[in-house]
Amino acid sequence: MAAYWIARGTFHDMQKIERYAELIHGLEKEYPYEIVARGGKFAELEGASKFEHYFIWKFPSMDVALELYNSTKYQAAAAVRQAAGRSELVIVEGGDRFAGAL
């Protein structure tokens, strides 16, 4: 089942974000994912947090998404991203667990 990596961030050091992009470039060959949304226009409808950038990546499974996140290469990149500003990341499995329940 597909899994979605949903991230949002506000960055004060765009040079570090450029370095992050360099570090993750090519990781999709080992941990396949598809970029569903990156950057682009958005509307925050609920919630107190204000972010400037939103990202959604689609993975073939939760296992692949977690393998990428936990890999040594990604953790090195994540440290650079985290030093660039404030960000949040969740991974959610696709599908409708509530089908028929509502």
Side-chain angles (χ1 to χ4, degrees):
M1 178 176 298
Y4 297 85
W5 177 303
I6 304 167
R8 58 188 189 165
T10 297
F11 306 111
H12 56 79
D13 188 335
M14 294 312 288
Q15 287 181 327
K16 285 184 178 155
I17 291 303
E18 289 172 13
R19 179 67 182 138
Y20 168 77
E22 291 169 4
L23 290 169
I24 66 169
H25 181 74
L27 288 178
E28 71 280 358
K29 293 174 185 146
E30 189 173 347
Y31 308 96
Y33 64 85
E34 167 191 351
I35 295 173
V36 176
R38 179 175 60 190
K41 207 158 74 164
F42 64 88
E44 287 182 327
L45 303 176
E46 295 184 16
S49 296
K50 299 295 180 198
F51 292 89
E52 297 172 354
H53 307 281
Y54 288 79
F55 311 88
I56 302 173
W57 295 356
K58 180 181 179 183
F59 289 83
S61 68
M62 178 73 81
D63 289 341
V64 173
L66 290 171
E67 286 171 14
L68 169 60
Y69 181 79
N70 291 313
S71 72
T72 303
K73 288 179 182 178
Y74 186 78
Q75 285 302 303
V80 173
R81 173 183 47 79
Q82 292 162 354
R86 185 170 58 109
S87 59
E88 295 179 348
L89 172 63
V90 299
I91 302 169
V92 62
E93 199 169 52
D96 185 355
R97 302 265 182 202
F98 296 107
L102 299 177

